[in-house]
Amino acid sequence: EDQVTQSPEALRLQEGESSSLNCSYTVSGLRGLFWYRQDPGKGPEFLFTLYSAGEEKEKERLKATLTKKESFLHITAPKPEDSATYLCAVQGKNYGGSQGNLIFGKGTKLSVKP
Amino acid sequence: DGGITQSPKYLFRKEGQNVTLSCEQNLNHDAMYWYRQDPGQGLRLIYYSQIVNDFQKGDIAEGYSVSREKKESFPLTVTSAQKNPTAFYLCASSYVAVNQPQHFGDGTRLSIL
């Protein structure tokens, strides 16, 4: 069964304290892995797509990496405005017979204190 | 600006009542999706549509219905058959091609009176 597990569930950092969020996945033929940021009461905001092992993407203080079993979202010198829930989702070859369906993890809630 | 608009932001349902959540997009996406988000759970797919006048059930379609009469619009009806409708509902859209990210609206929070 296709599955996505994110850890930790919650992470509290001091401003400037770098860390990483983990997304472990089991999927039949990965077509893409997606990272989103979600603020309270808002919809998820798309951050990155990763397609194959070894790929990396960067945006400001965020860097996403991908291996055959997991993805990491590295946060360098975070600021309070980086506080949000970060969601990971995967798209497999056979899920639901549709090209678009995603399987989401439960997310990591990040809090960055000044 | 292009985007996805969901309305209303908050909605209250009485017992035995059907309610309809609106979702409109001007991103020229062919595919549209409805998800349900509950505390401590990942997003769960309710329905999706890849083309006008066609839609498919997702993982938790029971108690919900949709229509897709226009490319830009994908309304969701929460029927009285849905016994636990309190949740945050998210609409998304994407291009149909493989590996395309889904883009989300800002959600509708549905509660029971």
Side-chain angles (χ1 to χ4, degrees), chain B residues 27-80:
Chain B
L27 298 169
N28 200 32
H29 289 160
D30 286 303
M32 296 187 74
Y33 313 82
W34 275 105
Y35 291 90
R36 171 177 172 143
Q37 187 173 37
D38 295 281
Q41 296 198 38
L43 275 68
R44 292 183 290 168
L45 183 65
I46 304 173
Y47 269 99
Y48 64 95
S49 168
Q50 294 187 319
I51 194 170
V52 174
N53 292 322
D54 187 52
F55 47 83
Q56 306 296 326
K57 293 182 179 180
D59 300 317
I60 55 166
E62 185 175 351
Y64 301 97
S65 66
V66 293
S67 63
R68 186 87 186 276
E69 297 177 1
K70 299 187 301 182
K71 182 177 179 177
E72 300 79 16
S73 178
F74 192 40
L76 173 73
T77 296
V78 183
T79 75
S80 57

Side-chain angles (χ1 to χ4, degrees), chain A residues 49-95:
Chain A
T49 306
L50 300 168
Y51 299 108
S52 58
E55 188 175 3
E56 299 182 352
K57 293 273 180 76
E58 285 190 68
K59 180 180 180 180
E60 297 181 356
R61 294 177 293 281
L62 301 177
K63 179 180 177 180
T65 62
L66 180 65
T67 72
K68 289 187 177 180
K69 295 183 179 180
E70 57 192 349
S71 176
F72 291 95
L73 185 65
H74 306 278
I75 303 176
T76 302
K79 298 182 178 181
E81 53 262 42
D82 294 322
S83 298
T85 295
Y86 290 85
L87 302 175
C88 171
V90 298
Q91 182 186 62
K93 287 184 178 178
N94 300 315
Y95 182 74

Side-chain angles (χ1 to χ4, degrees), chain A residues 31 36 38 51 91 95 99-100, chain B residues 37 40 59 96 99 102 105:
Chain A
R31 286 185 164 177
Y36 290 86
Q38 186 175 23
Y51 299 108
Q91 182 186 62
Y95 182 74
Q99 293 181 343
Chain B
Q37 187 173 37
D59 300 317
V96 174
N99 298 336
Q102 295 180 14

Side-chain angles (χ1 to χ4, degrees), chain A residues 37-40 80-86 108-112:
Chain A
R37 169 192 169 124
Q38 186 175 23
D39 292 303
E81 53 262 42
D82 294 322
S83 298
T85 295
Y86 290 85
T108 293
K109 184 175 181 180
L110 175 65
S111 299
V112 182

Side-chain angles (χ1 to χ4, degrees), chain B residues 15-27:
Chain B
E15 289 289 336
Q17 186 182 41
N18 293 351
V19 292
T20 297
L21 285 60
S22 171
C23 179
E24 303 276 337
Q25 57 98 0
N26 60 3
L27 298 169

